[in-house]
């Protein structure tokens, strides 16, 4: 067996870069960045407008995203003439299409079911045109390209909850507050969790006292599934400065990890977290990485210039701290690139998550000093590298996501309660595409023609845990060296990418396909069980040395039918 781990680097050909002096705020014409022809630090390009401010975002196909906003006066309108709060964004046309949401999604959350449906839950009160979303569950149906809403189905109100795809194929909804707030407090705290769909006829809340113990900075708790081979659903939960492993099956805390050094990492002192890439060579040993945040709930307080890494599989493990590349950052977004590196982008140097106070020349911006450049973290070398800067400040209500062609979509930012354009930090509709340095390799890119005999990205291809899948791949040049991975792209909001996961795969065999020139038959082994990567939609990527496939292949991963 030839087992090779991924080292994904991307080739991106034909990028045209035009000269530009300075870009004004959102409403003006779209232009492209000038980076002097140097691609070594990546390049930025403004490609379109999001239609609604991208408070939430998720990838629904290889070339389409869905954005979700709160109630405000977006120019994009529903068919009834009311400002839309959700839009489908097409990466091929760079145009947005209004979607139908009628309940308030403000500060809700989302995760994917094993059947490939996106679930979003929670929100805030309604108004004359929108109903309350506080106990609402919404389903995004890819087959119709729009939403269904089920009002009042959650047993309690949830504002700033976290959601997570579970190994069972359903989703977890955990924490939050029962009313809108900047900092949580006991009178509105919701220290519980629930499941969708429920095991019975109605959703039921289950107590989680840890969310009371960790007040006040306990909103949008950081939650990840811990891989295991015992059939357990074990969660890593980080809130405030504390972390636990929690067994969903027993409803009990299994272990409390050491307190994390440095400041606070949860909303409104917002940091971000990921499980570092998992590999079969060490039995998918899980390490969590948490970065950014702040030490104090003060406008002038400088953000955390620190990250911590914790081994979740070792007894008495201690936090391994580093300097986050030397840059303080509140509200960073963490996005896996296809080579397993992590792009930290967006955010501010000072303050906390929230809206400006007041207006006009005397407005106080509670998050200030935008960090315009991303940093790239290499988890093998344990190094941070600063990359090319954007010119668009992206702070509160910004998002970042990997695109299956290896680029990164970045959009959003709205540090005020309603649409405001002619201000220092406007409501941002501009959509940017960042092309990381790995896109400029000269190695030939492989093109996946089919997966399990199906042409890729026409529909999700059904595959199963432990399955050996077959790909037909074309690539020019000399003998290839193929590697592979799975990435679940998650649901992004408030610097949390809920469910984002990166798993290295085993390449079992590569044969020359005698039926066509430069064509190969490749077999790849999928992960062993759903604690490693959750059932549902993910993308399978194949690499030739440092060059990616033209696009990842969209799959729907589940248990083999019995």
């Amino acid at each position: 067996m030839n087992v090779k781990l991924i080292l994904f680097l991307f080739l991106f050909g034909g990028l045209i870069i035009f000269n530009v002096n300075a870009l004004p705020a959102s409403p003006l014409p779209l232009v492209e960045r000038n980076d002097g022809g140097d691609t070594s630090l990546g390049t930025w390009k403004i490609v379109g407008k999001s239609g609604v401010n991208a408070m939430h975002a998720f990838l629904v196909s290889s070339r389409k995203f869905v954005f979700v906003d709160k109630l405000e006066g977006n120019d994009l309108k529903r068919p009834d003439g009311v400002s839309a709060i959700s839009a489908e964004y097409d990466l091929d046309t760079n145009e947005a299409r209004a979607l139908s949401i009628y309940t308030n999604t403000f500060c809700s959350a989302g995760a994917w079911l094993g059947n490939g449906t996106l679930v979003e839950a929670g929100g805030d009160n309604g108004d004359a045109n929108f109903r309350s979303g506080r106990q609402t569950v919404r389903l995004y149906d890819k087959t119709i390209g729009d939403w269904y809403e089920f009002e009042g189905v959650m047993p309690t109100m949830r504002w700033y909850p976290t959601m997570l795809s579970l190994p069972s194929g359903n989703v977890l909804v955990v924490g939050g507050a029962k009313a809108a707030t900047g900092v949580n407090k006991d009178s509105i705290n919701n220290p519980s969790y629930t499941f969708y769909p429920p095991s019975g006829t109605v959703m039921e809340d289950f107590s989680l006292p840890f969310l009371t113990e960790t007040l006040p900075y306990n909103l949008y708790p950081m939650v990840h599934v811990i891989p295991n081979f015992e059939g357990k659903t074990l969660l890593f939960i980080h809130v405030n400065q504390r972390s636990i492993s929690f067994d969903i099956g027993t409803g009990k805390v299994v272990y409390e990890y050491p307190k994390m050094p440095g400041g606070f990492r949860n909303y409104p002192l917002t940091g971000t977290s990921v499980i570092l890439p998992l590999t079969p060579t060490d039995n998918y040993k899980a390490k969590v990485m948490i970065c950014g945040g702040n030490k104090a709930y003060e406008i002038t307080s400088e953000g955390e210039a620190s990250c911590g890494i914790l081994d979740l599989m070792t007894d008495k493990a201690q936090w391994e701290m580093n300097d986050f590349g030397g840059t303080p950052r509140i509200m960073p977004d963490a996005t896996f690139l296809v080579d397993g590196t992590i792009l930290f982008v967006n955010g501010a140097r000072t303050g906390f998550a929230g809206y400006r106070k007041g207006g006009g020349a005397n407005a106080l911006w509670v998050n200030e000093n935008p960090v315009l450049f991303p940093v790239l973290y290499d988890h093998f070398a344990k190094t941070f590298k600063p990359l090319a800067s954007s010119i668009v400040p992206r702070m509160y209500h910004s998002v970042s996501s990997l695109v299956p062609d290896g680029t990164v979509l970045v959009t959003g930012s709205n540090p005020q309660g309603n649409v405001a354009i002619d201000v220092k930090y406007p409501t941002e509709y501009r959509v940017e595409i960042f092309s990381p340095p790995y896109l400029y390799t000269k190695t030939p890119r492989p093109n996946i023609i089919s997966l399990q005999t199906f042409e890729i990205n026409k529909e999700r291809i059904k595959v199963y845990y432990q399955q050996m899948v077959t790909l037909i791949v074309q690539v020019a040049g000399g003998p290839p060296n193929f590697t592979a991975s799975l990435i679940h792209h998650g649901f992004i909001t408030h610097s949390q990418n809920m469910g984002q996961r990166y798993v290295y795969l085993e390449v079992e065999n590569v044969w020359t396909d005698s039926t066509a020139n430069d064509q190969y038959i490749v077999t790849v082994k999928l992960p062993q069980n759903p604690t490693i990567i959750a059932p549902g939609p993910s993308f399978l990527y194949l690499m030739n040395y440092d060059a990616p496939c033209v696009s990842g292949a969209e799959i729907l991963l589940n248990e083999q039918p019995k």
Side-chain angles (χ1 to χ4, degrees), residues 252-305:
K252 294 182 179 180
V253 174
V254 177
Y255 184 79
E256 178 153 2
Y257 299 101
K259 181 179 177 182
M260 185 177 182
F264 304 100
R265 314 289 175 163
N266 296 85
Y267 185 92
L269 305 181
T270 303
T272 190
S273 70
V274 295
I275 293 289
L276 292 177
L278 299 169
T279 172
T281 59
D282 63 3
N283 279 331
Y284 307 100
K285 187 175 185 179
K287 294 182 178 181
V288 69
M289 183 176 190
I290 299 176
C291 298
N294 210 327
K295 292 183 175 68
Y297 186 60
E298 298 289 345
I299 292 174
T300 57
S301 180
E302 187 173 71
E304 269 289 344

Side-chain angles (χ1 to χ4, degrees), residues 503-517:
V503 179
Y504 292 108
L505 301 179
E506 297 172 297
V507 175
E508 294 287 337
N509 289 292
V510 177
W511 297 278
T512 300
D513 185 351
S514 60
T515 65
N517 292 331

Side-chain angles (χ1 to χ4, degrees), residues 14 30 90 110 116 168-169 176 192 204 243 248 257 270 279 281 285 298 328 359 407 417 419 477 511 531 547:
L30 305 172
D90 190 314
S168 60
S192 69
E204 179 183 359
S243 306
I248 285 290
Y257 299 101
T270 303
T279 172
T281 59
K285 187 175 185 179
E298 298 289 345
T407 61
V419 173
W511 297 278
T531 71

Side-chain angles (χ1 to χ4, degrees), residues 50-52 72-78 81-88 96-99 429:
S50 58
V52 303
E72 57 185 340
N74 295 304
D75 286 341
L76 187 67
K77 299 294 191 291
R78 298 184 321 209
V82 174
S83 290
I85 61 170
S86 184
E88 176 191 85
R97 175 177 68 87
L99 300 180
Y429 297 101

Side-chain angles (χ1 to χ4, degrees), residues 488-546:
H488 177 67
H489 290 239
F491 178 99
I492 308 101
T493 189
H494 290 77
S495 301
Q496 312 308 311
N497 190 325
M498 300 176 186
Q500 182 180 213
R501 198 80 147 187
Y502 185 107
V503 179
Y504 292 108
L505 301 179
E506 297 172 297
V507 175
E508 294 287 337
N509 289 292
V510 177
W511 297 278
T512 300
D513 185 351
S514 60
T515 65
N517 292 331
D518 299 323
Q519 193 157 292
Y520 299 87
I521 302 168
V522 183
T523 57
V524 175
K525 187 176 181 180
L526 298 181
Q528 291 169 270
N529 71 60
T531 71
I532 297 165
I533 189 167
S538 291
F539 278 80
L540 188 153
Y541 293 90
L542 194 68
M543 306 299 296
N544 174 34
Y545 291 100
D546 61 351

